[in-house]
Amino acid sequence: MSNPFQHLVEPLNPAEPKKTFFNLHKLNDTRYARLPFSIRVLLESAIRNCDEFLVKSKDVNNILNWKVTQYENVEVPFRPARVILQDFTGVPAVVDFAAMRDAVKRLGGDPEKINPVCPADLVIDHSIQVDFNRREDSLQKNQELEFERNRERFEFLKWGSQAFQNMRIIPPGSGIIHQVNLEYLARVVFDQDGLYYPDSLVGTDSHTTMIDGLGVLGWGVGGIEAEAVMLGQPISMVLPEVIGYKLMGSPHHLVTSTDIVLTVTKHLRQVGVVGKFVEFFGPGVAQLSIADRATISNMCPEYGATAAFFPVDLVSIRYLQQTGREENKVKYIQKYLEAAGLFRDFSNTEQDPDFTQVVELDLSTVVPCCSGPKRPQDKVAVSDMRTDFESCLGAKQGFKGFHIPQGHHNDKVKFCYNDADYELAHGSVVIAAITSCTNTSNPSVMLGAGLLAKNAVEAGLTVKPYIKTSLSPGSGVVTYYLRDSGVMPYLSQLGFDVVGYGCMTCIGNSGPLPESVVEAITQGDLVAVGVLSGNRNFEGRVHPNTRANYLASPPLVIAYAIAGTIRIDFETEPLGINADGKPVFLRDIWPTRDEIQAVERKYVIPGMFKEVYEKIEKVNESWNNLKAPTDQLYPWDPNSTYIKSPPFFDNLTMELVPSTPITDAYVLLNLGDSVTTDHISPAGNIARNSPAARYLTNKGLTPREFNSYGSRRGNDAVMARGTFANIRLFNKFITKQAPLTIHLPSNETLDIFDAAERYIQAGQNLILLTGKEYGSGSSRDWAAKGPFLLGIKAVLAESYERIHRSNLVGMGIIPLQYLPGENAEALGLSGQELYTILIPEDKDLRPGMNVEIKLNTGKTFEAIMRFDTDVELTYYRNGGILNYMIRKMANSS
């Protein structure tokens, strides 16, 4: 059917009649001018894609009527302009596409129908590890090891880039996905065959939201949902509330953008923005560069919002010019956005739209801060770091506690490293990493770190050699301006050599610590510390031996590395003593905002961006020399331990399997609050005593060849065995943190995979009990695929992180939620019971309905079945979103 809104199309410039756009002002509807700018992007997409089938006129009216419908749980479709993937989540997506081609062929369809319809960019940035540091050839050695470990995965991805249309792959060594997106991939406005429309996207990384800082609406989704978007399906979403975040004032000259974002993160966690959009406005926005805004938007998952949007303004346009975008493209971007009512002047209060709620922050009240020791929302002022950490030592085990007995708070352990004697204590820094998209995209904090390093070296300060220091820039541009401004040699002298271009320490690719350091930590049961400029510091994520991890700005990462401990008050204690015996304080070497901005203006120039990105897809010779298969169907290697055809579609038929109750289900795990995808989804190194290690050993591999879980995301056998394998997992069936559970029929303590396998072999159903915010953290599809392969049919939680609930639905796992005010404790659930969940017949299913749960003890209670939309119910009836797409494609062939 033709688009009923076609009459809104008109030329952007009368002199170019073939260059057109949908002029939403021609709706002649006063509601449009009152909509938040983020909602206007949803509206434009709905109008442009309206076909009265996937997108209907009533959807357009529901979005236009946002002021009312935001409170009514109204479902609307959204078709993003593009999809972005990183390799950890991208490999499973390409594996699924390859397996879907096989399945469509088995069902009698045309396998080449399985192709991205929506443009997809995949950036390989999660594979490199900090194996080498503090040496001139660290970058080269780490990149060589990256290719040695990941050749098979890279060959598979190269096959995908050739076999699938509309898929571009950015080779390894190019930078972090979100910085490459910001500096290069972002269009801001699309020009599709002469039709202009806003750039928008979803990505398989929760920090996709970083692009919101440039005025491109985007957020993270599960890999499963992203695959459906790539296949042309709109995202079905509940029309969100929009929190207006008003910024006022100017930041203090010693405050960094990292301090601002950690303050915003804690504030918005307190406000409560889960599942909502946040849109920034007010005169303070003009004080922030695009890099500053992008830093704030990047941390959106940490405060729980879906998107954190800064509309495009003149600062955005200047950024596009600075990053080397073509001048004529920049002109039409501004002209289109102004014509469509999507361009913002933050000084003009008449442009301020309606918001669900307005909250405010005066930037002048922000103080230097860090976040930790276990969560990004737990902000700690730098002036309080010592006392806060020391209070955490004795506090009971929890988000702010380590339960160290009072008499052991000052324990010290001596050790030898490189023939010199040192000692570690609680709070000793053993990892200091300038890493992650959050900050390495921001020249002000990176140059600030460089200038601080210069001042520190000139003052005679050093970093102890056993501390694992590293610098992993987000793109080659960073290296250019650090080098050209003259600060790189000073960073190197303090141990912050460039070790790679990718998401390294922040995702657990921190590499090994020196053995003597690990022995000292273990011997003293010490709470050792990692300090990183990243966005995630959940338990067990950064490194197994750093129980405390703090997020900090790049300059503070260096400061704590020099101090060697988190237990320092920078105001009263010196960082060190120079050769003349004079104490050197942090204030003596900290660069001012004016100094940093002067260097930034001089050295961060458009030519750098053009030079780096003009050759980005061809510059990696190792990638260019890879040989990949050319078949349209992937020739699976049965001996591969990296790439394996997944079993998800093995028994798929064209007929739907009717819904039935889940009867006499055992509880595989009984978990508490804030169980993250880091606890669920395999990540980091593969422990030598784990089920995954046993599997790989049986395949003839040695521990040296295990690589990381992330690198093996294309092999379901490894990933299923690594599900819930985090050593910091706390299962209430077990009295300590461990990746173990009780096999209830035998009362044996087993590895979780081994217990699940026993249940499956006995034909017994499984569910999982958990608390609040289940699945928070990175948007990992294996956090849903893994439980599916373990036989989990349903999860019963107090609340869910948005993306993870969607992923569970995508895999056909039922997300159940306790009624308000209820939880396992209130209902007296031990997890030892047998659970029967009375799922209605398909015809009686409806979104958000209550279902009855019966226990073998005779107790009965109700829970909400969190299928939130009719589309999600359709996916569930099909056994998951990909099954639905396969049937649809096979039918259309």
Side-chain angles (χ1 to χ4, degrees):
M1 180 177 171
S2 62
N3 190 328
F5 295 97
Q6 196 64 35
H7 65 282
L8 301 180
V9 176
E10 65 177 40
L12 182 61
N13 181 349
E16 296 180 279
K18 291 186 177 179
K19 296 285 189 179
T20 61
F21 75 111
F22 280 83
N23 186 351
L24 273 60
H25 293 297
K26 286 170 68 175
L27 289 166
N28 295 320
D29 195 313
T30 56
R31 293 175 294 179
Y32 180 60
R34 303 305 309 157
L35 288 178
F37 282 66
S38 50
I39 299 298
R40 296 182 200 187
V41 177
L42 299 183
L43 178 66
E44 191 283 338
S45 175
I47 285 175
R48 177 167 36 87
N49 291 297
C50 188
D51 59 0
E52 299 296 4
F53 175 58
L54 289 173
V55 183
K56 300 179 180 178
S57 298
K58 72 170 187 178
D59 299 318
V60 170
N61 192 57
N62 280 336
I63 300 172
L64 199 51
N65 201 31
W66 169 84
K67 194 169 182 180
V68 174
T69 51
Q70 62 173 309
Y71 302 111
E72 297 178 351
N73 211 37
V74 168
E75 172 196 351
V76 295
F78 175 52
R79 293 192 70 170
R82 59 190 174 97
V83 173
I84 194 162
L85 316 157
Q86 38 96 328
D87 57 311
F88 268 20
T89 49
V91 166
V94 181
V95 166
D96 286 348
F97 265 61
M100 289 169 75
R101 279 194 168 180
D102 294 341
V104 167
K105 185 176 183 183
R106 283 197 301 271
L107 294 177
D110 178 3
E112 291 197 38
K113 286 280 182 79
I114 300 293
N115 250 321
V117 176
C118 184
D121 297 307
L122 191 155
V123 182
I124 300 175
D125 71 335
H126 275 53
S127 301
I128 190 165
Q129 299 184 42
V130 191
D131 291 286
F132 296 92
N133 69 317
R134 293 199 177 213
R135 43 189 285 177
E136 286 184 9
D137 61 351
S138 293
L139 174 63
Q140 179 189 341
K141 299 292 284 184
N142 286 329
Q143 288 183 337
E144 285 173 359
L145 258 182
E146 178 188 20
F147 259 82
E148 184 183 317
R149 289 172 174 146
N150 296 285
R151 176 173 294 276
E152 214 176 305
R153 297 171 64 243
F154 291 171
E155 286 172 346
F156 174 70
L157 286 175
K158 195 159 189 179
W159 166 81
S161 69
Q162 297 164 358
F164 295 113
Q165 300 166 17
N166 236 359
M167 179 182 285
R168 170 171 50 178
I169 292 188
I170 306 296
S174 303
I176 295 171
I177 175 174
H178 309 302
Q179 186 163 346
V180 173
N181 192 13
L182 195 70
E183 294 175 352
Y184 174 60
L185 298 174
R187 282 76 153 176
V188 182
V189 171
F190 263 77
D191 176 1
Q192 187 70 41
D193 300 323
L195 178 67
Y196 295 121
Y197 55 91
D199 187 4
S200 61
L201 69 152
V202 291
T204 57
D205 189 291
S206 49
H207 295 105
T208 298
T209 52
M210 184 166 179
I211 202 64
D212 292 344
L214 186 56
V216 176
L217 185 64
W219 60 86
V221 296
I224 304 154
E225 194 172 8
E227 290 167 39
V229 173
M230 289 163 69
L231 289 165
Q233 293 296 294
I235 284 177
S236 181
M237 60 185 293
V238 174
L239 197 60
E241 296 179 15
V242 182
I243 306 302
Y245 199 89
K246 188 173 186 178
L247 293 171
M248 300 170 297
S250 299
H252 186 269
H253 69 279
L254 294 180
V255 161
T256 69
S257 58
T258 314
D259 303 320
I260 295 170
V261 71
L262 295 178
T263 302
V264 169
T265 299
K266 181 173 184 180
H267 185 197
L268 284 173
R269 268 286 170 193
Q270 292 169 332
V271 169
V273 293
V274 172
K276 302 175 185 179
F277 283 4
V278 176
E279 186 167 310
F280 293 85
F281 74 111
V285 176
Q287 300 288 318
L288 303 177
S289 68
I290 293 302
D292 292 338
R293 299 176 193 185
T295 307
I296 293 169
S297 294
N298 179 290
M299 291 283 278
C300 176
E302 279 65 57
Y303 40 87
T306 301
F309 192 66
F310 288 84
V312 176
D313 68 344
L314 282 173
V315 175
S316 318
I317 297 299
R318 285 197 290 271
Y319 176 81
L320 294 176
Q321 293 166 335
Q322 182 193 31
T323 49
R325 265 69 168 205
E326 291 177 28
E327 193 59 39
N328 65 323
K329 285 188 177 180
V330 175
K331 283 179 181 174
Y332 83 63
I333 286 169
Q334 183 170 349
K335 186 175 180 63
Y336 164 74
L337 293 171
E338 288 174 340
L342 294 168
F343 196 78
R344 190 74 164 92
D345 176 358
F346 289 105
S347 66
N348 182 1
T349 56
E350 290 184 8
Q351 270 196 350
D352 291 354
D354 293 327
F355 292 113
T356 309
Q357 176 189 355
V358 171
V359 293
E360 299 180 353
L361 175 68
D362 184 344
L363 293 172
S364 67
T365 64
V366 176
V367 297
C369 56
C370 299
S371 276
K374 302 181 186 182
R375 296 192 304 182
Q377 64 262 41
D378 293 331
K379 184 187 81 164
V380 186
V382 169
S383 57
D384 297 333
M385 279 286 282
R386 177 173 187 155
T387 54
D388 187 81
F389 177 80
E390 289 174 348
S391 70
C392 290
L393 277 179
K396 72 175 187 176
Q397 186 71 39
F399 300 127
K400 295 284 284 186
F402 297 102
H403 205 57
I404 302 297
Q406 188 65 40
H408 291 275
H409 287 197
N410 294 312
D411 286 1
K412 291 181 171 59
V413 178
K414 295 185 183 299
F415 70 100
C416 182
Y417 178 74
N418 284 356
D419 300 324
D421 293 327
Y422 301 96
E423 64 179 23
L424 290 181
H426 294 297
S428 290
V429 173
V430 295
I431 290 177
I434 299 175
T435 183
S436 160
C437 45
T438 324
N439 290 290
T440 60
S441 65
N442 194 325
S444 67
V445 291
M446 296 300 287
L447 287 167
L451 291 171
L452 182 132
K454 179 176 184 289
N455 296 341
V457 169
E458 290 173 347
L461 298 177
T462 59
V463 175
K464 293 183 180 69
Y466 63 81
I467 297 175
K468 188 153 195 183
T469 48
S470 61
L471 166 61
S472 50
S475 80
V477 173
V478 180
T479 308
Y480 264 74
Y481 64 66
L482 290 178
R483 186 187 63 210
D484 289 2
S485 62
V487 298
M488 187 66 91
Y490 300 99
L491 287 163
S492 295
Q493 272 187 258
L494 293 179
F496 291 90
D497 302 280
V498 173
V499 295
Y501 296 94
C503 194
M504 299 176 78
T505 301
C506 192
I507 57 158
N509 285 359
S510 48
L513 289 173
E515 284 187 24
S516 58
V517 171
V518 173
E519 287 169 6
I521 293 170
T522 307
Q523 179 188 333
D525 191 27
L526 298 177
V527 180
V529 176
V531 185
L532 64 154
S533 67
N535 44 38
R536 292 276 162 84
N537 57 337
F538 300 124
E539 282 187 291
R541 180 184 178 96
V542 173
H543 193 281
N545 295 111
T546 57
R547 285 158 69 185
N549 296 283
Y550 287 91
L551 306 183
S553 66
L556 279 175
V557 170
I558 294 176
Y560 280 114
I562 293 169
T565 179
I566 217 79
R567 297 168 82 170
I568 181 172
D569 180 348
F570 289 132
E571 281 297 309
T572 60
E573 298 174 77
L575 279 174
I577 308 297
N578 68 13
D580 299 328
K582 182 184 173 186
V584 180
F585 289 83
L586 182 58
R587 58 179 172 269
D588 300 329
I589 62 171
W590 192 272
T592 67
R593 180 180 286 265
D594 289 342
E595 285 178 277
I596 296 167
Q597 288 176 344
V599 174
E600 184 176 350
R601 279 192 297 271
K602 185 173 181 181
Y603 292 105
V604 184
I605 56 175
M608 288 179 178
F609 294 88
K610 281 186 175 176
E611 187 168 341
V612 167
Y613 286 114
E614 275 175 357
K615 56 190 180 184
I616 191 168
E617 292 179 50
K618 296 294 179 189
V619 74
N620 190 318
E621 285 302 320
S622 299
W623 174 264
N624 297 340
N625 294 331
L626 281 178
K627 298 288 185 279
T630 55
D631 317 54
Q632 288 304 299
L633 294 178
Y634 185 70
W636 306 99
D637 177 0
N639 297 315
S640 172
T641 56
Y642 279 99
I643 304 296
K644 178 175 172 291
S645 182
F648 306 133
F649 318 124
D650 284 357
N651 301 312
L652 186 66
T653 62
M654 291 299 290
E655 297 74 34
L656 299 186
V657 178
S659 299
T660 56
I662 299 171
T663 56
D664 292 333
Y666 285 92
V667 175
L668 180 63
L669 294 164
N670 187 1
L671 306 172
D673 295 340
S674 292
V675 173
T676 71
T677 52
D678 284 321
H679 291 110
I680 310 165
S681 175
N685 293 326
I686 297 171
R688 296 187 181 193
N689 60 348
S690 65
R694 293 196 292 273
Y695 168 83
L696 293 171
T697 301
N698 289 338
K699 289 283 187 179
L701 274 64
T702 64
R704 185 179 170 275
E705 299 168 303
F706 285 174
N707 209 336
S708 66
Y709 280 114
S711 68
R712 294 190 180 276
R713 279 188 172 184
N715 185 321
D716 61 272
V718 172
M719 298 303 282
R721 286 164 172 79
T723 301
F724 295 111
N726 190 310
I727 61 170
R728 300 297 176 198
L729 182 78
F730 187 77
N731 174 13
K732 294 177 185 177
F733 290 158
I734 306 291
T735 56
K736 61 179 181 179
Q737 289 181 326
L740 302 169
T741 195
I742 304 290
H743 178 253
L744 296 173
S746 66
N747 203 35
E748 285 184 69
T749 300
L750 299 172
D751 286 318
I752 291 164
F753 175 81
D754 295 339
E757 199 165 40
R758 274 207 204 172
Y759 285 118
I760 290 170
Q761 288 170 353
Q764 293 159 333
N765 290 319
L766 290 173
I767 66 166
L768 188 146
L769 299 185
T770 187
K772 299 184 184 77
E773 297 177 348
Y774 180 65
S776 56
S778 303
S779 55
R780 294 191 177 137
D781 54 345
W782 273 108
K785 288 177 176 175
F788 172 85
L789 292 175
L790 294 183
I792 292 171
K793 305 295 184 188
V795 175
L796 179 55
E798 285 185 67
S799 63
Y800 293 90
E801 193 278 335
R802 175 186 61 85
I803 300 173
H804 186 61
R805 186 200 61 80
S806 173
N807 271 346
L808 292 175
V809 172
M811 286 308 299
I813 296 174
I814 303 172
L816 299 168
Q817 189 164 316
Y818 294 103
L819 297 180
E822 294 186 353
N823 56 27
E825 188 178 0
L827 292 168
L829 306 180
S830 69
Q832 308 274 344
E833 309 89 351
L834 291 176
Y835 291 69
T836 294
I837 302 164
L838 301 178
I839 308 296
E841 293 181 14
D842 287 336
K843 62 182 177 62
D844 296 323
L845 289 171
R846 62 184 188 278
M849 70 183 297
N850 288 4
V851 294
E852 192 175 14
I853 300 176
K854 292 184 174 181
L855 309 183
N856 63 332
T857 60
K859 186 178 185 67
T860 299
F861 63 97
E862 287 192 344
I864 306 163
M865 190 160 62
R866 285 290 311 278
F867 297 124
D868 291 354
T869 65
D870 287 321
V871 171
E872 289 186 345
L873 280 175
T874 299
Y875 296 155
Y876 169 66
R877 291 187 184 102
N878 277 271
I881 192 170
L882 300 184
N883 293 358
Y884 166 76
M885 291 306 304
I886 289 169
R887 289 187 176 108
K888 182 178 175 182
M889 292 296 180
N891 256 329
S892 67
S893 297

